[in-house]
Amino acid sequence: MTTLASVPPTTPAAGPPVRFRDLLASEWIKTRSLRSTRWTIALTVLFVIGSTAVATLTDKAARSGPADFLPYDAYPAAGYWTLMLVASSMGALTVVSEYSSGLIRTTTVAVPARGSVVLAKAAVTAALWTAVGTAASTGSFLVSQAILDGHHAGVPITHPGVFRALTASALLAPVCALVGLGLGVLLRHAAGTMVTSVFTLLMLPTMFSESNRWSADIKHALVSAAWNRLVQTWEPDPGSLGYTATVSGSWIVYTLWPLITVALAVLVVRRRDV
């Protein structure tokens, strides 16, 4: 009498662990493979620089007086609020598009370390939108000063206050993109994320004034108010009854918003199912 020998179950050979640079490469391929991303970025930069040209050309006060840096000609609110809106929306779409299509399940099966996936998305998003913000900010400054040079009112980049305004405007794009990405991970819904981003970044600051201390503190803790203070080159009027944000505090706001939202996204994505 013979018996069948039991065959031990075989396990598939484990592949090499996924390196973080592999995740970066994967996220970069996802980003640059979308034609809409390139068109959106190009049109946004053109709109921002175009709004700068319009603001400078229509500013009659820029045609007289001694040459001085005019921050809201170089960096008009209309153009940079649009940049905030687009950057936050595109940052959110890097996440919510995968949730809506179901691609996120494939990603998490291939890479169980979900926190690393979010960090890779954040790194690629930050790098991309830093480049976009730098291009828009530098282009805005050059265009505005080229127009003002015709009235002998242009200033060089070494003029006091110019570099801070240029840097703050360049970093506005990655800050908003990372906030949008973090909200996208937390909410996982395209419409909800867009509405929350617009409300938080653009609408909420208008609800608070600087006449009361508590209201000013809330306003100064928001991104758009921090950008506004960093672009502003003049010191607050000592006789003013309002409370003005500090430059150092505004830089801290720039730092904390993306750090906190991305950190919350990493924490949440590790604890819940996709």
Side-chain angles (χ1 to χ4, degrees):
M1 183 175 182
T2 60
T3 58
L4 293 175
S6 59
V7 179
T10 59
T11 58
V18 178
R19 298 167 297 184
F20 189 71
R21 66 182 182 182
D22 297 328
L23 294 177
L24 293 176
S26 173
E27 294 302 327
W28 173 241
I29 291 172
K30 292 178 186 177
T31 300
R32 69 181 177 86
S33 62
L34 294 175
R35 185 178 302 177
S36 59
T37 300
R38 286 172 282 177
W39 278 105
T40 301
I41 289 174
L43 292 174
T44 301
V45 172
L46 286 175
F47 178 83
V48 171
I49 296 176
S51 68
T52 295
V54 171
T56 308
L57 287 169
T58 56
D59 186 3
K60 296 181 180 180
R63 304 180 184 181
S64 60
D68 196 6
F69 177 54
L70 303 174
Y72 294 110
D73 285 351
Y75 304 109
Y80 281 83
W81 282 14
T82 302
L83 181 63
M84 293 173 66
L85 174 63
V86 175
S88 62
S89 299
M90 294 295 289
L93 284 175
T94 61
V95 177
V96 295
S97 61
E98 292 196 23
Y99 278 108
S100 60
S101 65
L103 180 61
I104 191 67
R105 297 185 180 90
T106 305
T107 302
T108 53
V109 168
V111 186
R114 301 174 184 175
S116 297
V117 174
V118 173
L119 290 177
K121 290 180 181 293
V124 171
T125 299
L128 173 63
W129 284 97
T130 298
V132 174
T134 301
S137 180
T138 305
S140 295
F141 175 76
L142 294 177
V143 166
S144 66
Q145 300 315 304
I147 295 173
L148 292 174
D149 276 341
H151 308 293
H152 306 289
V155 298
I157 197 172
T158 55
H159 192 277
V162 170
F163 187 73
R164 187 182 75 197
L166 189 151
T167 304
S169 299
L171 294 178
L172 183 64
V175 167
C176 294
L178 289 175
V179 170
L181 185 147
L183 292 175
V185 175
L186 296 175
L187 300 178
R188 299 190 295 181
H189 189 273
T193 303
M194 302 300 177
V195 171
T196 304
S197 298
V198 171
F199 178 78
T200 303
L201 294 173
L202 298 177
M203 298 177 63
L204 188 61
T206 63
M207 299 173 60
F208 300 95
S209 68
E210 296 182 339
S211 58
N212 297 312
R213 182 60 181 269
W214 67 270
S215 179
D217 287 342
I218 297 175
K219 183 182 183 73
H220 298 158
L222 300 173
V223 173
S224 62
W227 170 77
N228 190 68
R229 178 64 184 92
L230 292 171
V231 170
Q232 177 183 314
T233 56
W234 55 87
E235 293 301 322
D237 183 4
S240 174
L241 299 178
Y243 296 90
T244 306
T246 62
V247 172
S248 59
S250 298
W251 284 122
I252 291 173
V253 170
Y254 256 46
T255 304
L256 289 182
W257 268 94
L259 283 180
I260 291 175
T261 50
V262 172
L264 286 174
V266 171
L267 180 64
V268 168
V269 80
R270 287 175 174 174
R271 294 176 176 269
R272 74 181 179 194
D273 295 332
V274 296

